Structure formats: C-alpha cells, structure tokens
Amino acid sequence: MKIIHTENMHDGIFNAVGKDLKVIGEMTYFWESNDMITIDRIDILPEYDRKEISTRLVLDAVDFARGKGLKIKSLSPLVASALCKMPDVQDLISAEV
C-alpha cells in the first residue's frame, strides 16, 4: 500500500492506494487557519483492514503536520481517537479536538 498526498490552498487528501493502483481509503482535510488543518473525513473500503489503513493515513497526516509546523484538529471520531492514543503526537493536537 502506498499513501499519496495531494493538497491545494484550501484543502487536501491522503489516498491509500493498493498494489493494483485502486484507491482503497482516503482521508480529507481543510485548512482551518495558517497553522492548523482539520481532518473532516476518513473512508476505507469495507473489504480492507480498516485499522491498518486508517493508522497509515493518520501517520502520514502527522508527518505532514509536523513537517509544516501545524496543529491537527479532527471532526472524525476515528481519527480523533487514533490521535489521542499516540503519545508522541500530543504536541500536534489542537485543543479543539
């Protein structure tokens, strides 16, 4: 599985792509402010391992945020729960999570 990140000035998407180049999961976000992104949706195809794919998508978002000096806010309960369980990313989580 490969994660492909695409962004523009207003929002972005992390796509999980399988070996056959099929998109098997995606997580979208929008820019809340100049220093914060808000993850608003995560979808995984039901026939795939939801936990593994969602973890990879969240970790890629964490790497992106850390690299840009951003905070992360989540409207997705799945993502919010995953972030709260990662002790090494607590500095990135917006108080609004």
Side-chain angles (χ1 to χ4, degrees):
M1 173 178 54
K2 180 177 180 180
I3 307 296
I4 299 172
H5 177 215
T6 306
E7 67 172 313
N8 63 42
M9 292 178 60
H10 306 288
D11 54 22
I13 187 167
F14 291 89
N15 284 307
V17 180
K19 292 179 183 175
D20 58 358
L21 302 180
K22 177 181 177 182
V23 175
I24 57 177
E26 65 182 24
M27 183 173 67
T28 60
Y29 66 89
F30 60 89
W31 288 90
E32 183 84 23
S33 65
N34 288 336
D35 62 351
M36 182 168 48
I37 60 171
T38 297
I39 297 171
D40 57 347
R41 185 176 59 84
I42 187 167
D43 289 311
I44 312 296
L45 291 178
E47 61 267 28
Y48 293 91
D49 183 345
R50 181 180 175 129
K51 183 175 181 179
E52 176 190 354
I53 296 169
S54 62
T55 299
R56 287 280 309 278
L57 290 166
V58 170
L59 289 174
D60 270 50
V62 165
D63 289 344
F64 169 71
R66 194 172 300 286
K68 298 255 186 188
L70 304 172
K71 294 284 188 183
I72 299 174
K73 177 180 167 182
S74 178
L75 300 178
S76 162
L78 177 65
V79 174
S81 175
L83 288 169
C84 289
K85 293 176 185 173
M86 299 175 177
D88 57 330
V89 303
Q90 298 307 300
D91 59 314
L92 300 180
I93 298 174
S94 167
E96 299 177 43
V97 170

